PDB file of all heavy atoms in Angstrom:
ATOM      1  N   PRO A  17     -12.584   0.970   7.051  1.00  0.00           N
ATOM      2  CA  PRO A  17     -12.383   0.216   5.809  1.00  0.00           C
ATOM      3  C   PRO A  17     -11.428  -0.955   6.002  1.00  0.00           C
ATOM      4  O   PRO A  17     -10.565  -0.926   6.886  1.00  0.00           O
ATOM      5  CB  PRO A  17     -11.780   1.254   4.864  1.00  0.00           C
ATOM      6  CG  PRO A  17     -11.154   2.266   5.752  1.00  0.00           C
ATOM      7  CD  PRO A  17     -11.987   2.298   6.998  1.00  0.00           C
ATOM      8  N   PHE A  18     -11.605  -1.989   5.208  1.00  0.00           N
ATOM      9  CA  PHE A  18     -10.703  -3.140   5.169  1.00  0.00           C
ATOM     10  C   PHE A  18     -10.048  -3.124   3.798  1.00  0.00           C
ATOM     11  O   PHE A  18     -10.709  -3.349   2.787  1.00  0.00           O
ATOM     12  CB  PHE A  18     -11.464  -4.449   5.387  1.00  0.00           C
ATOM     13  CG  PHE A  18     -10.567  -5.657   5.386  1.00  0.00           C
ATOM     14  CD1 PHE A  18      -9.929  -6.052   6.551  1.00  0.00           C
ATOM     15  CD2 PHE A  18     -10.345  -6.376   4.232  1.00  0.00           C
ATOM     16  CE1 PHE A  18      -9.098  -7.171   6.565  1.00  0.00           C
ATOM     17  CE2 PHE A  18      -9.518  -7.488   4.222  1.00  0.00           C
ATOM     18  CZ  PHE A  18      -8.892  -7.888   5.390  1.00  0.00           C
ATOM     19  N   ILE A  19      -8.754  -2.812   3.748  1.00  0.00           N
ATOM     20  CA  ILE A  19      -8.016  -2.705   2.489  1.00  0.00           C
ATOM     21  C   ILE A  19      -7.035  -3.863   2.414  1.00  0.00           C
ATOM     22  O   ILE A  19      -6.218  -4.062   3.317  1.00  0.00           O
ATOM     23  CB  ILE A  19      -7.260  -1.363   2.386  1.00  0.00           C
ATOM     24  CG1 ILE A  19      -8.205  -0.185   2.590  1.00  0.00           C
ATOM     25  CG2 ILE A  19      -6.508  -1.274   1.075  1.00  0.00           C
ATOM     26  CD1 ILE A  19      -9.280  -0.032   1.538  1.00  0.00           C
ATOM     27  N   GLU A  20      -7.100  -4.622   1.317  1.00  0.00           N
ATOM     28  CA  GLU A  20      -6.221  -5.771   1.121  1.00  0.00           C
ATOM     29  C   GLU A  20      -5.319  -5.515  -0.085  1.00  0.00           C
ATOM     30  O   GLU A  20      -5.786  -5.096  -1.139  1.00  0.00           O
ATOM     31  CB  GLU A  20      -7.044  -7.035   0.884  1.00  0.00           C
ATOM     32  CG  GLU A  20      -6.217  -8.269   0.667  1.00  0.00           C
ATOM     33  CD  GLU A  20      -7.072  -9.504   0.460  1.00  0.00           C
ATOM     34  OE1 GLU A  20      -8.300  -9.438   0.607  1.00  0.00           O
ATOM     35  OE2 GLU A  20      -6.492 -10.552   0.146  1.00  0.00           O
ATOM     36  N   VAL A  21      -4.017  -5.783   0.085  1.00  0.00           N
ATOM     37  CA  VAL A  21      -3.050  -5.655  -1.002  1.00  0.00           C
ATOM     38  C   VAL A  21      -2.362  -7.003  -1.161  1.00  0.00           C
ATOM     39  O   VAL A  21      -1.787  -7.528  -0.212  1.00  0.00           O
ATOM     40  CB  VAL A  21      -1.995  -4.563  -0.699  1.00  0.00           C
ATOM     41  CG1 VAL A  21      -0.959  -4.505  -1.812  1.00  0.00           C
ATOM     42  CG2 VAL A  21      -2.656  -3.213  -0.513  1.00  0.00           C
ATOM     43  N   ASP A  22      -2.437  -7.575  -2.362  1.00  0.00           N
ATOM     44  CA  ASP A  22      -1.750  -8.831  -2.654  1.00  0.00           C
ATOM     45  C   ASP A  22      -0.348  -8.486  -3.147  1.00  0.00           C
ATOM     46  O   ASP A  22      -0.154  -8.110  -4.299  1.00  0.00           O
ATOM     47  CB  ASP A  22      -2.507  -9.633  -3.702  1.00  0.00           C
ATOM     48  CG  ASP A  22      -1.891 -10.996  -3.960  1.00  0.00           C
ATOM     49  OD1 ASP A  22      -0.879 -11.337  -3.301  1.00  0.00           O
ATOM     50  OD2 ASP A  22      -2.413 -11.724  -4.821  1.00  0.00           O
ATOM     51  N   CYS A  23       0.625  -8.593  -2.263  1.00  0.00           N
ATOM     52  CA  CYS A  23       1.996  -8.177  -2.568  1.00  0.00           C
ATOM     53  C   CYS A  23       2.643  -9.045  -3.642  1.00  0.00           C
ATOM     54  O   CYS A  23       3.505  -8.577  -4.380  1.00  0.00           O
ATOM     55  CB  CYS A  23       2.841  -8.203  -1.304  1.00  0.00           C
ATOM     56  SG  CYS A  23       2.239  -7.065  -0.035  1.00  0.00           S
ATOM     57  N   ALA A  24       2.256 -10.300  -3.763  1.00  0.00           N
ATOM     58  CA  ALA A  24       2.837 -11.196  -4.754  1.00  0.00           C
ATOM     59  C   ALA A  24       2.402 -10.820  -6.172  1.00  0.00           C
ATOM     60  O   ALA A  24       3.090 -11.135  -7.128  1.00  0.00           O
ATOM     61  CB  ALA A  24       2.467 -12.637  -4.460  1.00  0.00           C
ATOM     62  N   ALA A  25       1.268 -10.148  -6.300  1.00  0.00           N
ATOM     63  CA  ALA A  25       0.755  -9.791  -7.624  1.00  0.00           C
ATOM     64  C   ALA A  25       1.339  -8.476  -8.143  1.00  0.00           C
ATOM     65  O   ALA A  25       1.078  -8.099  -9.270  1.00  0.00           O
ATOM     66  CB  ALA A  25      -0.767  -9.686  -7.580  1.00  0.00           C
ATOM     67  N   GLN A  26       2.132  -7.789  -7.328  1.00  0.00           N
ATOM     68  CA  GLN A  26       2.688  -6.485  -7.689  1.00  0.00           C
ATOM     69  C   GLN A  26       4.209  -6.579  -7.798  1.00  0.00           C
ATOM     70  O   GLN A  26       4.818  -7.457  -7.207  1.00  0.00           O
ATOM     71  CB  GLN A  26       2.337  -5.444  -6.612  1.00  0.00           C
ATOM     72  CG  GLN A  26       0.897  -5.413  -6.210  1.00  0.00           C
ATOM     73  CD  GLN A  26       0.012  -4.798  -7.270  1.00  0.00           C
ATOM     74  OE1 GLN A  26       0.468  -4.052  -8.107  1.00  0.00           O
ATOM     75  NE2 GLN A  26      -1.261  -5.110  -7.228  1.00  0.00           N
ATOM     76  N   THR A  27       4.801  -5.641  -8.524  1.00  0.00           N
ATOM     77  CA  THR A  27       6.255  -5.606  -8.628  1.00  0.00           C
ATOM     78  C   THR A  27       6.765  -4.181  -8.541  1.00  0.00           C
ATOM     79  O   THR A  27       6.071  -3.235  -8.916  1.00  0.00           O
ATOM     80  CB  THR A  27       6.736  -6.191  -9.968  1.00  0.00           C
ATOM     81  OG1 THR A  27       6.160  -5.448 -11.030  1.00  0.00           O
ATOM     82  CG2 THR A  27       6.386  -7.650 -10.104  1.00  0.00           C
ATOM     83  N   GLY A  28       7.982  -4.034  -8.042  1.00  0.00           N
ATOM     84  CA  GLY A  28       8.721  -2.780  -8.055  1.00  0.00           C
ATOM     85  C   GLY A  28       7.955  -1.558  -7.614  1.00  0.00           C
ATOM     86  O   GLY A  28       7.320  -1.544  -6.573  1.00  0.00           O
ATOM     87  N   ARG A  29       8.021  -0.508  -8.426  1.00  0.00           N
ATOM     88  CA  ARG A  29       7.388   0.767  -8.100  1.00  0.00           C
ATOM     89  C   ARG A  29       5.874   0.652  -8.028  1.00  0.00           C
ATOM     90  O   ARG A  29       5.232   1.446  -7.362  1.00  0.00           O
ATOM     91  CB  ARG A  29       7.767   1.831  -9.143  1.00  0.00           C
ATOM     92  CG  ARG A  29       9.163   2.332  -9.063  1.00  0.00           C
ATOM     93  CD  ARG A  29       9.389   3.234  -7.892  1.00  0.00           C
ATOM     94  NE  ARG A  29       8.612   4.439  -7.992  1.00  0.00           N
ATOM     95  CZ  ARG A  29       8.402   5.269  -7.000  1.00  0.00           C
ATOM     96  NH1 ARG A  29       8.907   5.039  -5.828  1.00  0.00           N
ATOM     97  NH2 ARG A  29       7.679   6.355  -7.162  1.00  0.00           N
ATOM     98  N   ARG A  30       5.307  -0.342  -8.701  1.00  0.00           N
ATOM     99  CA  ARG A  30       3.851  -0.468  -8.675  1.00  0.00           C
ATOM    100  C   ARG A  30       3.346  -0.784  -7.271  1.00  0.00           C
ATOM    101  O   ARG A  30       2.390  -0.177  -6.797  1.00  0.00           O
ATOM    102  CB  ARG A  30       3.404  -1.532  -9.671  1.00  0.00           C
ATOM    103  CG  ARG A  30       1.908  -1.669  -9.734  1.00  0.00           C
ATOM    104  CD  ARG A  30       1.506  -2.705 -10.743  1.00  0.00           C
ATOM    105  NE  ARG A  30       0.110  -2.990 -10.578  1.00  0.00           N
ATOM    106  CZ  ARG A  30      -0.784  -2.884 -11.536  1.00  0.00           C
ATOM    107  NH1 ARG A  30      -0.415  -2.506 -12.718  1.00  0.00           N
ATOM    108  NH2 ARG A  30      -2.031  -3.181 -11.305  1.00  0.00           N
ATOM    109  N   VAL A  31       3.982  -1.733  -6.590  1.00  0.00           N
ATOM    110  CA  VAL A  31       3.547  -2.069  -5.234  1.00  0.00           C
ATOM    111  C   VAL A  31       3.885  -0.934  -4.280  1.00  0.00           C
ATOM    112  O   VAL A  31       3.118  -0.636  -3.371  1.00  0.00           O
ATOM    113  CB  VAL A  31       4.133  -3.409  -4.742  1.00  0.00           C
ATOM    114  CG1 VAL A  31       5.608  -3.314  -4.482  1.00  0.00           C
ATOM    115  CG2 VAL A  31       3.392  -3.891  -3.511  1.00  0.00           C
ATOM    116  N   ASP A  32       5.007  -0.282  -4.498  1.00  0.00           N
ATOM    117  CA  ASP A  32       5.394   0.876  -3.694  1.00  0.00           C
ATOM    118  C   ASP A  32       4.316   1.951  -3.798  1.00  0.00           C
ATOM    119  O   ASP A  32       3.858   2.496  -2.806  1.00  0.00           O
ATOM    120  CB  ASP A  32       6.737   1.398  -4.198  1.00  0.00           C
ATOM    121  CG  ASP A  32       7.367   2.433  -3.304  1.00  0.00           C
ATOM    122  OD1 ASP A  32       6.927   2.581  -2.163  1.00  0.00           O
ATOM    123  OD2 ASP A  32       8.313   3.089  -3.763  1.00  0.00           O
ATOM    124  N   ALA A  33       3.869   2.228  -5.016  1.00  0.00           N
ATOM    125  CA  ALA A  33       2.830   3.232  -5.249  1.00  0.00           C
ATOM    126  C   ALA A  33       1.495   2.781  -4.672  1.00  0.00           C
ATOM    127  O   ALA A  33       0.748   3.587  -4.122  1.00  0.00           O
ATOM    128  CB  ALA A  33       2.691   3.510  -6.737  1.00  0.00           C
ATOM    129  N   GLU A  34       1.176   1.498  -4.779  1.00  0.00           N
ATOM    130  CA  GLU A  34      -0.104   1.012  -4.259  1.00  0.00           C
ATOM    131  C   GLU A  34      -0.169   1.102  -2.735  1.00  0.00           C
ATOM    132  O   GLU A  34      -1.200   1.432  -2.174  1.00  0.00           O
ATOM    133  CB  GLU A  34      -0.372  -0.426  -4.693  1.00  0.00           C
ATOM    134  CG  GLU A  34      -1.690  -0.919  -4.161  1.00  0.00           C
ATOM    135  CD  GLU A  34      -2.268  -2.075  -4.938  1.00  0.00           C
ATOM    136  OE1 GLU A  34      -1.803  -2.369  -6.041  1.00  0.00           O
ATOM    137  OE2 GLU A  34      -3.209  -2.686  -4.410  1.00  0.00           O
TER     138      GLU A  34
END
Side-chain angles (χ1 to χ4, degrees):
F18 181 86
I19 305 296
E20 180 179 353
V21 177
D22 184 1
C23 298
Q26 311 287 338
T27 59
R29 287 287 296 165
R30 182 179 169 124
V31 70
D32 190 14
E34 180 158 347

